[in-house]
Amino acid sequence: AGGIAILIGLTVGSAAPVLGDVTSTMTIGHLDSIRRFSRFVPWGWGPEAIGRAAVGDVGGAALFLVPAMAFGAVLWRIWSLLIVRLLTTRGVSVDAAVGKGLVPRWMTIFGEHPTVAVWARAHRQLRRDPREFLEVAAFLPMMVVFALPGIEAIRNGDDRAVLSAASLGLALGLTSLNMFGADGRSFGVDALAIDDFRSLLVGKALARLTLGVPVIAGLAIALSVLTGGWQFVLPCLAIGLTGLLSMTAVGLVVSTRFPFALPEGMSIASGQGIDGCATGLIRMLALFVAMAASAPGVAATTLVALTGTPSAASAVGVISVVYGWILFRISVRHAGGWVNEHIPEIYGHLDARA
């Protein structure tokens, strides 16, 4: 809670002056850039209709006004149905959800493979388990330092600030250095439920990808609206995805060779989950190895994006993502094979610390 409060304070304190500087220096070119994007978004249909009506384009205004009103009606209907369901049928809906399982409907298109079940659970765990955020909070000062150049670029209206959104891949990559930290004794259940531990490793990695890629893309688009740097969106995605894949590749090995369980009760006075200097040293070395593994692809794409053309940066970005994917597949094969031979040892290690 204290770490989250500090993070909110830093964010609010830095965002207000940055937004003030950006809005005070916006030109008609920036507004045109926003309009080119917003007219295709439902929330932009209303303003687009007003803008067209202001210049006498009645037909164009009506063309955007009708779908804008229909979109508002659809949102109202969805909200009404949700309220009715929450207030009148909550018990039935909960029972139905338990009966159908915990795999979201959109994941069922990938079949009933064990990887999908692990993917669904890890996805929910990343979003809901506060202990997962401890992996990010431990390196929060370093992440703030990395974000400072991007904040300065936004304040100066530099379109290259879009590339800073890729740092979110680093944040999620940090959580892969201890993938079983929040699992504890459930590791033994996983070992009994599946035949090949590679399925569990891939599922946990997919959860990080499905959370990270949309967030990176959303932030890159938002920064492009502010700075007009649309040509950096694809390189930004490539950098973030390369970093996430490469760091996850290292995280798979570290998580299986040096796992440690985060206890249910995180009281400092209890002393639970504290293993002395060795744990911190191993995690710090793992961080440097993960950053070194991601450096070739990330550095190459960043350099070309800053000095070359957008098309060249996108091409190099594709090669970098392939590089990260190869590292990830090699790591899955190596770490999964090792775990299959040492399941009792890893389970005893996690169970003793839980």
Side-chain angles (χ1 to χ4, degrees):
I4 293 175
I6 294 174
L7 180 60
I8 293 175
L10 291 173
T11 304
V12 174
S14 60
V18 169
L19 291 177
D21 290 345
V22 170
T23 54
S24 64
T25 57
M26 289 188 71
T27 63
I28 190 66
H30 291 104
L31 296 178
D32 287 340
S33 175
I34 296 174
R35 184 185 177 192
R36 285 197 298 269
F37 170 75
S38 65
R39 69 176 64 182
F40 299 107
V41 181
W43 287 270
W45 293 341
E48 180 68 17
I50 296 174
R52 289 178 178 266
V55 297
D57 185 4
V58 179
L63 182 65
F64 281 91
L65 182 61
V66 172
M69 296 177 64
F71 179 65
V74 170
L75 289 181
W76 174 268
R77 182 58 179 167
I78 293 175
W79 177 80
S80 302
L81 292 175
L82 287 175
I83 292 298
V84 171
R85 183 176 180 181
L86 288 173
L87 294 178
T88 60
T89 60
R90 184 171 181 84
V92 176
S93 63
V94 170
D95 292 341
V98 173
K100 294 179 181 178
L102 299 177
V103 178
R105 184 172 300 175
W106 65 271
M107 286 188 185
T108 57
I109 62 176
F110 298 99
E112 298 181 354
H113 195 273
T115 299
V116 179
V118 176
W119 179 12
R121 191 189 71 175
H123 192 274
R124 182 179 296 104
Q125 193 174 47
L126 279 172
R127 292 185 290 111
R128 297 183 180 182
D129 195 329
R131 293 173 295 174
E132 294 287 356
F133 292 100
L134 292 177
E135 304 297 318
V136 178
F139 300 99
L140 182 59
M142 182 187 66
M143 292 170 57
V144 172
V145 171
F146 283 151
L148 289 178
I151 295 176
E152 186 63 25
I154 296 173
R155 297 187 64 175
N156 295 332
D158 191 342
D159 55 3
R160 294 175 295 181
V162 176
L163 296 175
S164 64
S167 61
L168 292 176
L170 169 65
L172 267 179
L174 295 176
T175 66
S176 67
L177 297 179
N178 185 28
M179 283 190 172
F180 304 109
D183 288 358
R185 297 181 177 91
S186 65
F187 181 90
V189 178
D190 294 331
L192 294 174
I194 59 178
D195 298 326
D196 190 346
F197 232 83
R198 294 179 180 90
S199 299
L200 188 138
L201 297 179
V202 173
K204 282 185 167 292
L206 284 175
R208 285 156 174 80
L209 291 176
T210 51
L211 281 177
V213 173
V215 174
I216 294 173
L219 182 57
I221 292 174
L223 293 177
S224 298
V225 171
L226 293 176
T227 63
W230 295 100
Q231 70 274 18
F232 291 110
V233 172
L234 290 180
C236 174
L237 282 173
I239 295 171
L241 188 54
T242 301
L244 183 54
L245 285 171
S246 303
M247 296 188 73
T248 301
V250 177
L252 292 177
V253 177
V254 176
S255 299
T256 53
R257 295 297 183 106
F258 307 102
F260 66 96
L262 297 174
E264 293 289 341
M266 295 304 296
S267 171
I268 296 177
S270 66
Q272 290 180 313
I274 300 175
D275 293 321
C277 299
T279 297
L281 180 60
I282 292 173
R283 290 173 56 76
M284 187 59 65
L285 291 175
L287 172 63
F288 287 125
V289 172
M291 294 176 65
S294 63
V298 171
T301 307
T302 304
L303 182 62
V304 176
L306 295 177
T307 60
T309 62
S311 57
S314 299
V316 175
V318 172
I319 298 175
S320 298
V321 172
V322 173
Y323 160 78
W325 176 253
I326 292 174
L327 284 183
F328 173 72
R329 293 305 305 174
I330 293 175
S331 178
V332 168
R333 188 178 300 108
H334 173 75
W338 193 87
V339 174
N340 289 334
E341 300 294 330
H342 298 81
I343 288 178
E345 176 185 339
I346 298 176
Y347 175 63
H349 195 66
L350 290 171
D351 184 62
R353 298 191 185 189

